[in-house]
Amino acid sequence: MSNNAAVVPITSEIASSDFNDENHNNNEGGEKEPLTSTERYVIERENAKIKHWKEHPYAVGCVEPTWEDELISLRLRRQANINGGGAYGDDNNNSGCCSDTENEGADSTCGCVRISAIACSRLGARRIGNMVILKESIETVFEESDDQDDEDNNDTDTVSTNDIEEGGLEMISLNDQQQTKSNKKKKKKVSRKKIDLIVGPFWPMLIFVTYPLIFGVSLWTAVRALPGKSPFFIGVWCLLSGGLVVALFNTGFRDPGIMLRKRSKPSDDASVKNNRRMMWRWSDNGQTWKPRGSVYDPDCACVIEGFDHTCPWTGTAIGKKNMVPFQCFVALIFINLIMDIILLTSAGFEQ
């Protein structure tokens, strides 16, 4: 949806210095006035937000840690606009939010984020970027441990001159060394949270527009056009309509492919997939190394693997994990639409 470049968040040191320079260096004598309680509160909130951003396990953008914090931020921003600027005022591109739609720097998700902040703060739902977590579970996975890298390097790369002279050790090829090193890597058992159900930033569009349209047209067709048709035809229609609803659910309520944060560049061995070497690039917004095809989506405020686009009708981004159900949704919506038009038209002629 949004093509605007994401605003790179300021660091805590820059935040402090900006507030100090703006608010406390304006007197003629150059003496700094003490920070007010409101300014200290704003700086502490900004530092907490940046700390949460840096330590998050997923490759997300710099957003408020919780929906409750988002709601507080919106109130502070509105108060700053009333007072004519301040920490949350003039320097923020989204200070006007939905009321300032003509501003090129305005965030296209501001209205939906506002709705999410109000609703999810009351429901206690968690967030990843601008996405709302509905259900999580615990999964156990095995991850490679790099604790013994130095020891492995010494074991595989060091060859003494005496061993070579005595003939007890032949020259080891580079491929053999890499194979020995990879075999010695240990795997550790890790328990982590798994996203079962999640909706994107445009979930109000999904819930209050897309689904009502589908159910409304289907109900109208079922009442006016299906009576008198053969059971086989009715069964096919029900199957296609049900498949459309399921495909939309698996698109809009599933993880589109939110990437786990990789703070260090993966090794060459880990970069080979299907006999093809993966290219890794650094993402400032997501604070992660990401492979080709992974893109930081400013609407969802996170890095999506295999990102294609953000679809407001499904309410979320389309990526690696929900591409197949999205394609099924697009195909079924055209098939059902054509079928419903034919049925309603024929029913109108019969009357």
Side-chain angles (χ1 to χ4, degrees):
M1 283 294 295
S2 174
N3 294 325
N4 298 331
V7 178
V8 178
I10 54 179
T11 61
S12 57
E13 294 80 10
I14 296 177
S16 301
S17 62
D18 284 346
F19 288 125
N20 290 338
D21 293 341
E22 179 181 355
N23 299 318
H24 306 291
N25 286 337
N26 295 328
N27 53 2
E28 297 179 356
E31 297 179 358
K32 294 183 178 180
E33 298 179 0
L35 292 171
T36 64
S37 58
T38 302
E39 291 168 340
R40 286 197 300 268
Y41 175 69
V42 170
I43 293 175
E44 289 175 359
R45 281 182 52 84
E46 186 68 20
N47 292 339
K49 182 172 76 172
I50 294 172
K51 183 175 182 293
H52 175 267
W53 173 50
K54 296 284 188 180
E55 297 177 353
H56 204 285
Y58 287 95
V60 299
C62 188
V63 297
E64 298 292 340
T66 64
W67 290 115
E68 291 81 0
D69 293 326
E70 186 72 41
L71 190 60
I72 294 173
S73 176
L74 291 172
R75 291 171 179 170
L76 290 174
R77 188 176 297 122
R78 182 178 59 183
Q79 187 64 34
N81 293 332
I82 295 175
N83 295 336
Y88 278 87
D90 297 335
D91 293 337
N92 197 314
N93 287 333
N94 298 329
S95 58
C97 197
C98 298
S99 61
D100 191 15
T101 55
E102 295 181 357
N103 182 10
E104 294 182 356
D107 187 358
S108 62
T109 63
C110 60
C112 291
V113 169
R114 185 185 294 269
I115 295 174
S116 297
I118 295 173
C120 299
S121 60
R122 297 182 178 181
L123 297 175
R126 296 180 62 248
R127 72 183 296 180
I128 293 181
N130 288 333
M131 306 184 73
V132 183
I133 301 176
L134 301 179
K135 182 182 178 182
E136 287 182 306
S137 60
I138 303 297
E139 66 174 354
T140 302
V141 297
F142 291 91
E143 294 181 350
E144 289 186 352
S145 176
D146 295 331
D147 297 337
Q148 302 295 328
D149 279 351
D150 294 337
E151 181 180 349
D152 293 341
N153 287 335
N154 292 332
D155 290 342
T156 60
D157 295 339
T158 303
V159 180
S160 66
T161 305
N162 293 334
D163 289 337
I164 295 176
E165 291 178 352
E166 293 176 1
L169 180 66
E170 297 180 355
M171 295 298 292
I172 303 177
S173 65
L174 180 60
N175 292 335
D176 292 338
Q177 293 180 23
Q178 293 177 350
Q179 183 66 29
T180 304
K181 181 178 178 179
S182 61
N183 291 338
K184 286 192 174 184
K185 284 186 177 180
K186 296 182 178 180
K187 291 187 177 182
K188 56 182 179 181
K189 193 175 182 181
V190 178
S191 296
R192 66 186 182 192
K193 292 183 178 180
K194 176 187 175 183
I195 302 173
D196 294 324
L197 296 176
I198 188 171
V199 291
F202 301 107
W203 63 266
M205 181 83 170
L206 170 67
I207 300 297
F208 300 112
V209 178
T210 308
Y211 265 121
L213 280 175
I214 292 175
F215 287 126
V217 173
S218 299
L219 181 61
W220 187 24
T221 304
V223 172
R224 296 198 56 182
L226 284 185
K229 301 296 180 182
S230 66
F232 175 78
F233 186 85
I234 294 176
V236 172
W237 182 89
C238 293
L239 182 64
L240 292 175
S241 298
L244 176 62
V245 173
V246 173
L248 179 57
F249 177 86
N250 287 329
T251 303
F253 286 86
R254 299 296 185 185
D255 176 14
I258 304 173
M259 183 177 173
L260 288 169
R261 179 165 287 166
K262 296 183 181 296
R263 293 179 173 84
S264 59
K265 187 176 182 180
S267 62
D268 293 338
D269 293 339
S271 300
V272 177
K273 185 176 181 180
N274 296 330
N275 295 326
R276 297 183 62 183
R277 185 172 298 278
M278 300 172 62
M279 302 296 294
W280 294 86
R281 293 180 176 84
W282 175 256
S283 171
D284 286 331
N285 291 318
Q287 290 292 291
T288 183
W289 286 95
K290 60 185 182 67
R292 179 180 298 175
S294 298
V295 178
Y296 177 82
D297 178 23
D299 292 327
C300 295
C302 53
V303 177
I304 306 295
E305 293 185 83
F307 177 79
D308 187 79
H309 70 287
T310 302
C311 177
W313 294 99
T314 61
T316 187
I318 306 302
K320 175 182 177 181
K321 294 184 178 181
N322 66 349
M323 176 59 74
V324 173
F326 174 74
Q327 292 173 340
C328 294
F329 165 72
V330 173
L332 287 172
I333 201 168
F334 277 104
I335 295 174
N336 280 270
L337 183 60
I338 294 173
M339 183 179 295
D340 291 344
I341 290 175
I342 294 175
L343 286 172
L344 291 172
T345 303
S346 61
F349 283 130
E350 290 176 359
Q351 293 179 356

